[in-house]
Amino acid sequence: MFADATASDTALRRFLHGLPGVDAVGLEARAATLGTRSIKTTAKAFAIDLAISMIDLTTLEGADTPGKVRALCAKGVVPDPTDRTAPKVAAICVYPDMVATARQALDAAGGRDVHVASVATAFPAGRAALSVKLADTRDAVAAGADEIDMVIDRGAFLSGRYMQVFEEIRAVKEACAREDGEDAHLKVIFENGELATYDNVRRASWLAMLAGADFIKTSTGKVAVNATPANTLVMLEAVRDFRAAGGRQVGVKPAGGIRTAKDAIKYLVLVNETLGDDWLHPDWFRFGASSLLGDLLMQRQKLTTGRYSGPDYVTVD
Amino acid sequence: MSEMSGKPGAHTRLSVLKTYKLFVGGKFPRSESGRVYEVTDTRGNWLANAPLASRKDARDAVVAARKAFGGWSRATAYNRGQILYRIAEMLEGRRDQFVAEVAAAEGLSKAKATAQVDAAVDRWVWYAGWSDKVAQVVGGANPVAGPYFNLSTPEPTGVVAVLAPREPSFLGLVSVLAPVIVTGNTAVVAASERAPLPALSLAEVLATSDLPGGVVNLLSGRTAEIAAPLAAHQDVNAIDLTGADAELAKELETAAAENLKRVLRPSAGDAGGEDWFADPGTRRMLAFLETKTVWHPMGV
């Protein structure tokens, strides 16, 4: 379909730079307007449960221990022990060396359908040789990761070496192959905060989709600017346009800085208004978050009991 | 210009009316609901529009109070005392304003309003002094039959919802607020429904007295409307029902039982049953303290 665009370095550059520019003011205004929608009662209850089922419950700290990962898995399977009707999260997101622990803990807790996502490719900086990145990826896949969150080489992207980024994504995608024939899903992280412009976010989105990404993800959560409604909207539009132009359906994952149910619902409104029902499913939209789940549960408790809940009634992490 | 031409130098000033706002998390927001209500003096003359806080304002206030609790409860007693004393200093500087507001709100003579404001400032000072003494009065070393120290110390309860008495509008407010925060609690206060202006002005004093944002949050509006979500709120640890009538107080106490809030009931009789000018004693401070007791080995 897009074979011409990726035929050579020049063709790829011409294609990416031929994408229409983003009207930054209009984009931010639209994202802000959609954020003012009032979602109440049954719609809110639906949105909260949908948001919980879309969470990639994440712990990416140097201080992660197997115990912490196991606790997180237990929480992902039964988010609210006082109310078993709360849905499970979509996935647990950990570093590669914790994948086996997470898989084991999820299975033990009755969460076979909860995926394990692993960051790889020298997350979060991505500053390592390709061979190291590929080994990192294979390692995580072999340990049982269902999803791989890779970071693009921002240095190469910003200096215009698009083909290098493209081929790297391709290579990682190949490294996601599993023996049973089903590939681990590949999420490609751009780190929007480092890409500087919305035009770059749009180019990176197309680049990743052309290279075979199953999901595109805003950021690592490790820099000052992470997911914002505006930069997520650019990616949602890119995903929409890619399918409209004959490409596959690609998922989107905003990550970092989404902490409240209100924020999460704003993102769901963006998805619904930009992409429609097709994407309102954990297979096609995810939240990368850790503290978000607590707030969603507090809001959920408020809806079921009528009383405002508090942080004493959800787990600390 | 024509009406000014008669007398050179004299000109009519446009009146600058004050917009009274809520005080939440150290900021002065309007009500989330956008509503206001008319506040009148005792004769029914319009004084100002005050924000009519909604349950969401109450919720936001609790979030702010919870956020502030860690820092305020860990601050040294000395530091808290200094800040409370600073508030008294600031009140003293704006005495005339409070006298005018109290007089208008309650239909008092200037002398009576002055007496109330003076009593309120004195009460801040009095409570400020208690910050590093209350532990000596209600805490201490307990006698035990073993080689241990057994020490009890009072600790703040947490986020306290306070329904300020309807009258006296200013002295009453100070008398219920100061004992809550001096020991390290943070407060969400529903001001007197009929006379909220002195409370909303007090917020301006609090904001300029080194008091960390969120330690005191002031809401104006219908007491019953604000109090209901506060009493049921799972993240509020105690509620002072002084400003509620008997019927409302019963309802709120029932809701408060859900998460075992500490409840301070209104004094017997009607809400005017308390003599606000009398020595308050330590009752209000002690109502919102938890006693922590630790055993500690004496060593060899």
Side-chain angles (χ1 to χ4, degrees):
Chain A
M1 184 73 210
F2 300 102
D4 293 351
T6 57
S8 70
D9 200 359
T10 336
L12 183 58
R13 177 191 311 273
R14 196 182 310 123
F15 178 81
L16 293 178
H17 283 266
L19 291 169
V22 179
D23 166 9
V25 175
L27 174 82
E28 281 166 10
R30 177 156 174 77
T33 311
L34 291 176
T36 61
R37 292 278 169 86
S38 180
I39 309 290
K40 300 288 179 206
T41 61
T42 49
K44 188 174 180 186
F46 172 80
I48 286 174
D49 278 7
L50 183 62
I52 293 174
S53 71
M54 286 175 162
I55 288 181
D56 280 5
L57 195 59
T58 304
T59 182
L60 295 170
E61 303 294 332
D64 284 349
T65 58
K68 187 177 177 197
V69 170
R70 278 195 290 268
L72 199 72
C73 290
K75 184 181 175 185
V77 176
V78 186
D80 187 348
T82 63
D83 183 357
R84 296 278 175 146
T85 61
K88 294 171 192 165
V89 301
I92 303 292
C93 185
V94 291
Y95 274 116
D97 63 331
M98 290 293 175
V99 168
T101 311
R103 186 68 267 163
Q104 223 172 7
L106 284 172
D107 291 350
R112 284 190 181 280
D113 48 341
V114 177
H115 287 186
V116 175
S118 170
V119 296
T121 70
F123 181 93
R127 299 253 68 88
L130 181 59
S131 57
V132 175
K133 293 182 184 178
L134 295 178
D136 199 15
T137 308
R138 284 194 203 97
D139 203 37
V141 174
D146 306 289
E147 301 170 5
I148 295 294
D149 290 26
M150 72 168 286
V151 287
I152 63 165
D153 183 342
R154 278 88 75 190
F157 182 89
L158 290 171
S159 45
R161 286 176 276 133
Y162 299 127
M163 195 45 105
Q164 184 187 333
V165 180
F166 178 84
E167 279 168 357
E168 202 167 281
I169 297 172
R170 280 242 152 132
V172 174
K173 174 80 182 163
E174 276 167 30
C176 287
R178 275 199 307 223
E179 285 170 7
D180 60 8
E182 257 193 68
D183 294 356
H185 274 228
L186 179 65
K187 303 197 198 102
V188 179
I189 307 173
F190 303 151
E191 200 70 293
N192 290 346
E194 293 182 352
L195 295 187
T197 66
Y198 292 125
D199 286 348
N200 275 342
V201 174
R202 178 169 283 176
R203 285 177 196 136
S205 302
W206 278 86
L207 177 64
M209 290 187 291
L210 290 171
D214 299 304
F215 250 88
I216 53 177
K217 176 172 165 185
T218 57
S219 44
T220 60
K222 300 286 184 196
V223 295
V225 178
N226 289 295
T228 64
N231 66 35
T232 307
L233 184 55
V234 175
M235 292 164 63
L236 294 170
E237 286 173 348
V239 160
R240 176 195 64 195
D241 296 345
F242 184 69
R243 189 171 77 160
R248 296 160 296 120
Q249 182 170 350
V250 174
V252 178
K253 174 177 171 186
I258 305 167
R259 293 198 181 84
T260 63
K262 205 177 214 173
D263 288 344
I265 291 172
K266 282 180 190 172
Y267 280 93
L268 291 180
V269 170
L270 287 182
V271 175
N272 190 52
E273 294 299 316
T274 315
L275 300 170
D277 281 348
D278 286 1
W279 268 266
L280 279 180
H281 189 278
D283 286 350
W284 302 108
F285 193 75
R286 294 280 181 83
F287 292 106
S290 39
S291 56
L292 170 63
L293 182 55
D295 197 61
L296 284 166
L297 292 175
M298 286 196 279
Q299 295 300 322
R300 205 172 181 280
Q301 288 165 1
K302 161 72 172 73
L303 286 177
T304 47
T305 64
R307 294 183 298 264
Y308 286 117
S309 185
D312 287 353
Y313 300 86
V314 294
T315 52
V316 177
D317 58 15
Chain B
M1 291 305 276
S2 56
E3 62 265 30
M4 298 197 332
S5 55
K7 217 173 167 193
H11 59 281
T12 350
R13 286 191 65 223
L14 285 174
S15 50
V16 180
L17 294 177
K18 179 159 150 188
T19 307
Y20 286 89
K21 296 201 209 172
L22 305 175
F23 183 53
V24 175
K27 294 195 165 62
F28 292 91
R30 291 181 164 82
S31 167
E32 160 279 338
S33 62
R35 303 175 303 175
V36 294
Y37 69 110
E38 291 192 352
V39 178
T40 59
D41 64 15
T42 42
R43 289 196 207 89
N45 300 317
W46 181 83
L47 288 173
N49 284 349
L52 185 57
S54 66
R55 65 184 167 86
K56 289 198 174 169
D57 292 312
R59 174 199 62 185
D60 293 347
V62 172
V63 171
R66 173 59 62 197
K67 206 171 159 199
F69 178 72
W72 183 242
S73 58
R74 273 195 303 272
T76 60
Y78 171 76
N79 185 227
R80 284 200 299 268
Q82 291 289 302
I83 290 173
L84 259 70
Y85 191 75
R86 176 85 179 154
I87 295 170
E89 291 173 9
M90 293 288 140
L91 281 176
E92 187 69 27
R94 293 170 73 154
R95 209 160 144 260
D96 295 344
Q97 180 196 345
F98 282 103
V99 169
E101 278 179 346
V102 169
E106 298 181 37
L108 298 178
S109 67
K110 195 174 175 212
K112 281 194 169 168
T114 306
Q116 188 188 140
V117 171
D118 286 352
V121 176
D122 293 349
R123 190 141 299 169
W124 269 113
V125 175
W126 189 78
Y127 274 118
W130 268 107
S131 68
D132 54 1
K133 296 171 189 73
V134 69
Q136 302 168 43
V137 175
V138 296
N142 307 311
V144 287
Y148 301 104
F149 289 122
N150 184 267
L151 305 169
S152 290
T153 43
E155 299 210 327
T157 297
V159 174
V160 181
V162 180
L163 311 185
R166 281 162 287 183
E167 273 193 350
S169 59
F170 191 55
L171 176 61
L173 172 75
V174 167
S175 304
V176 294
L177 176 59
V180 167
I181 62 170
V182 67
T183 54
N185 295 296
T186 56
V188 176
V189 184
S192 164
E193 181 173 328
R194 211 186 55 70
L197 302 187
L200 297 176
S201 292
L202 175 68
E204 293 158 18
V205 170
L206 300 177
T208 50
S209 304
D210 305 330
L211 189 74
V215 172
V216 175
N217 304 277
L218 281 156
L219 304 173
S220 61
R222 310 269 170 255
T223 304
E225 187 189 1
I226 302 170
L230 289 175
H233 202 304
Q234 303 293 288
D235 203 27
V236 172
N237 304 104
I239 187 165
D240 176 351
L241 298 175
T242 305
D245 56 37
E247 199 185 332
L248 179 63
K250 193 176 166 193
E251 211 174 286
L252 295 175
E253 189 167 347
T254 309
E258 184 63 39
N259 72 333
L260 308 177
K261 284 182 188 67
R262 289 206 176 274
V263 173
L264 185 65
R265 291 180 176 156
S267 24
D270 55 333
E274 193 152 340
D275 178 7
W276 294 100
F277 285 88
D279 178 355
T282 54
R283 182 176 76 100
R284 289 184 173 276
M285 277 187 293
L286 304 193
F288 303 112
L289 289 174
E290 309 296 329
T291 299
K292 180 174 84 177
T293 299
V294 293
W295 292 74
H296 194 284
M298 276 177 179
V300 279

